[in-house]
Amino acid sequence: MEIPFWDKSIETIDRSELEKLQLAGLKRQVENALKTTFYKNKLLKEGIIGGSSIKSLDDLRRLPFTTKSDLREAYPFGLMSVNKEDVVRIHASSGTTGTPTIIYQTQKDVSMAADTMARSLVAAGCTKNDICQNMMTYGLFTGGMCFHYGAERLGMTVIPTSSGNTIRQIKFMHDFGTTVTHATPSYLLHLHQAIEESEYDRNDFKWRLAVTGAEPHSEELRCKIQDKLGIEVYNCYGMSELNGPGVAFECIFRKGMHIWEDRYIIEIIDPVTLEPVPEGEVGELVVTILHRDAMPLLRYRTRDLTRIIPEPCACGRTHRRLARFTGRSDDMLIINGVNVFPSQIEEVLLKVNGVGANYLIVVEKQGDLDKLTVQTEVTPEMFTDDTRPLNALKERLKAEMSALITINPVIELKESGSMPVSEGKAKRVDDRRPKDF
Ligand code: ADP
Ligand code: ZN
């Protein structure tokens, strides 16, 4: 069997050579970090005064961790390590308003990210002959443009349909002979259903492969999608902080995602003790980015839980594989691919008059998509014969929440005192989606 490569020499590089590249990259990133207002003092305090302070990869552990709230603190320019004029693009994480976590890229950074994405797509067997429909949202979210640039770099024909408008998605897939799609797993199932119900016959499509990610999903779900849709489904991991999708990607063997270790140094830690876990055990993925000039990110705590698959892969790539992600070490919810923190919902509830003491966030599956319901008590005086104030409250909450989290919740208003009061720590989230990891 022919194994496809984008850059075989780097993808199959000897581990000792790879470590040399990593060390050089780390030194470069430390130099960059010292140019930022955010990292400068933190590093100097540890006695790190330049790239030369890093003598071996073990020195990584002398560097501070970076968290999402650090990124918010550094907003807007605290992590910029180049002149503003050299930045050509800014992206932000999905679903966040308030203080977003953003990234900046130089022309070279954009190009490197595209190259990484192209490498990932080739590993999955995509070629320049493919016609690729990108159904991820374009805009601040990296799933749109960053994927797009990588697919173009490979030479695929890219149709930037973005998310939604399923009828049009299907028409384009049919009319242009789309062979590859990029979408969340839940949207794939929805799309399948819509094709079944459409005027089109599945046999008239050329669809053969789906790249999917942005939310945790199980092996069972992958198999279900493959069987139902008659396509190959590849898992793709990424996040905007790390330049978007394509950080780790499955090769044609589909047994875990190769993480591109010439571009990212990874650690798997215990999220409580912050110590490394033994290789092969589940922990939180921590990533240091090596190939971005405009914005260094040292030991970034992704909060995503996974483990390293230590065995070598049959494809011959020496970059290690990450197992399917099993969840997060914080309370972030991923709803139809959009990141939502319960605190964002609470923020809205707390500032609107008429909202009572108790609330519950319910996430469930409706068909193949996720449904978000916010149940909240109202103050006693809201419950009268006149339903207009209640309706107005509902509309206001809906509008404020969808503005903040970019998805439309269902609002259920409850009489004051009608919701169960939990003893001890209040249960604010009821995630009823099947968990089959
Ligand atoms: P995106 O949703 O495009 O990956 P965001 O920065 O908005 O980018 O969200 C990143 C988060 O999405 C990750 O931290 C992780 O929790 C989740 N995620 C991304 N890809 C996967 C995947 N393949 N499996 C599980 N979770 C994923
Ligand atoms: Zn492989």
Side-chain angles (χ1 to χ4, degrees):
M1 190 199 309
E2 175 106 31
I3 312 277
F5 288 101
W6 174 247
D7 182 347
K8 188 169 180 184
S9 63
I10 198 78
E11 289 170 61
T12 58
I13 188 173
D14 197 72
R15 295 251 358 145
S16 60
E17 290 302 312
L18 179 64
E19 283 172 12
K20 282 186 203 153
L21 288 183
Q22 287 187 323
L23 181 59
L26 185 60
K27 284 169 181 272
R28 222 173 29 243
Q29 286 306 313
V30 166
E31 290 284 349
N32 279 344
L34 281 160
K35 291 183 203 148
T36 68
T37 48
F38 177 80
Y39 280 121
K40 190 174 174 199
N41 286 336
K42 287 189 169 59
L43 290 177
L44 291 179
K45 223 164 65 193
E46 299 300 325
I48 294 164
I49 52 164
S52 58
S53 305
I54 304 295
K55 305 269 185 269
S56 75
L57 285 176
D58 290 338
D59 284 335
L60 181 68
R61 297 194 58 191
R62 291 173 58 203
L63 305 179
F65 287 107
T66 312
T67 63
K68 219 178 178 66
S69 61
D70 288 334
L71 294 194
R72 296 212 168 98
E73 190 192 309
Y75 180 89
F77 297 120
L79 277 162
M80 199 178 275
S81 50
V82 293
N83 294 329
K84 282 190 194 144
E85 310 83 82
D86 293 328
V87 168
V88 297
R89 199 193 285 180
I90 290 175
H91 275 290
S93 185
S94 69
T96 45
T97 52
T99 305
T101 53
I102 56 157
I103 61 156
Y104 357 88
Q105 296 172 322
T106 63
Q107 193 73 260
K108 183 168 152 237
D109 296 341
V110 168
S111 175
M112 286 297 271
D115 183 79
T116 315
M117 190 67 237
R119 188 198 281 182
S120 297
L121 289 166
V122 170
C126 296
T127 74
K128 69 178 289 299
N129 299 332
D130 278 304
I131 297 171
C132 174
Q133 206 163 309
N134 187 10
M135 304 175 179
M136 294 286 197
T137 311
Y138 280 65
L140 281 172
F141 176 58
T142 47
M145 280 172 82
C146 293
F147 177 90
H148 185 113
Y149 271 55
E152 265 189 15
R153 171 65 59 89
L154 165 53
M156 293 165 118
T157 305
V158 196
I159 313 178
T161 42
S162 193
S163 55
N165 201 340
T166 306
I167 307 276
R168 191 180 62 186
Q169 299 280 10
I170 296 172
K171 178 176 169 54
F172 274 44
M173 287 177 78
H174 176 270
D175 295 352
F176 291 102
T178 297
T179 53
V180 173
T181 56
H182 181 218
T184 60
S186 21
Y187 191 67
L188 283 180
L189 285 167
H190 178 70
L191 192 59
H192 167 70
Q193 186 68 28
I195 292 177
E196 298 266 281
E197 288 163 8
S198 74
E199 62 194 277
Y200 299 107
D201 181 346
R202 169 68 181 95
N203 295 321
D204 293 336
F205 288 74
K206 300 216 168 70
W207 197 12
R208 69 176 189 89
L209 189 151
V211 173
T212 195
E215 61 192 18
H217 56 289
S218 62
E219 191 58 38
E220 288 70 24
L221 184 66
R222 185 227 300 263
C223 293
K224 181 174 160 192
I225 299 174
Q226 295 196 141
D227 287 351
K228 272 195 168 186
L229 280 64
I231 56 174
E232 291 180 355
V233 175
Y234 285 82
N235 195 5
C236 162
Y237 171 73
M239 65 197 318
S240 52
E241 295 91 315
L242 303 174
N243 289 340
V247 173
F249 212 93
E250 285 182 324
C251 67
I252 54 171
F253 293 101
R254 276 172 283 165
K255 293 259 164 44
M257 296 174 279
H258 290 282
I259 176 137
W260 303 119
E261 293 184 83
D262 57 324
R263 301 198 168 163
Y264 304 98
I265 299 183
I266 56 165
E267 300 166 80
I268 308 276
I269 62 160
D270 177 326
V272 178
T273 64
L274 306 183
E275 290 298 317
V277 299
E279 189 165 77
E281 283 186 18
V282 173
E284 180 183 325
L285 176 70
V286 172
V287 184
T288 299
I289 191 161
L290 299 177
H291 64 300
R292 189 168 60 205
D293 289 342
M295 179 181 162
L297 204 51
L298 305 175
R299 305 188 83 195
Y300 185 61
R301 291 192 58 187
T302 65
R303 296 290 187 169
D304 291 319
L305 300 175
T306 184
R307 65 182 181 84
I308 288 174
I309 303 173
E311 298 79 30
C313 183
C315 72
R317 287 182 178 82
T318 45
H319 302 243
R320 287 175 296 175
R321 284 169 297 159
L322 298 178
R324 202 168 271 287
F325 285 83
T326 52
R328 296 187 46 93
S329 68
D330 63 5
D331 59 355
M332 187 179 95
L333 297 162
I334 304 183
I335 301 174
N336 294 324
V338 175
N339 303 344
V340 177
F341 285 94
S343 56
Q344 293 178 295
I345 292 176
E346 187 174 273
E347 191 185 314
V348 173
L349 292 172
L350 288 178
K351 74 172 190 203
V352 174
N353 280 338
V355 172
N358 265 321
Y359 73 90
L360 182 68
I361 298 163
V362 180
V363 195
E364 57 205 325
K365 279 276 171 209
Q366 187 170 55
D368 298 315
L369 297 177
D370 298 327
K371 177 182 164 201
L372 169 68
T373 306
V374 179
Q375 303 174 342
T376 179
E377 287 181 359
V378 295
T379 49
E381 64 278 9
M382 290 294 285
F383 258 92
T384 61
D385 289 343
D386 186 0
T387 55
R388 281 172 303 181
L390 281 178
N391 289 337
L393 178 63
K394 211 182 224 180
E395 287 314 310
R396 164 123 195 250
L397 287 174
K398 206 187 239 173
E400 297 242 354
M401 281 184 202
S402 58
L404 190 64
I405 60 181
T406 72
I407 46 180
N408 242 329
V410 174
I411 307 286
E412 287 177 10
L413 300 179
K414 310 264 186 193
E415 212 166 333
S416 173
S418 67
M419 291 178 72
V421 182
S422 47
E423 291 157 23
K425 199 170 148 56
K427 184 177 175 205
R428 296 303 195 189
V429 179
D430 184 4
D431 194 343
R432 298 178 188 159
R433 291 173 293 186
K435 288 224 171 24
D436 42 3
F437 301 108

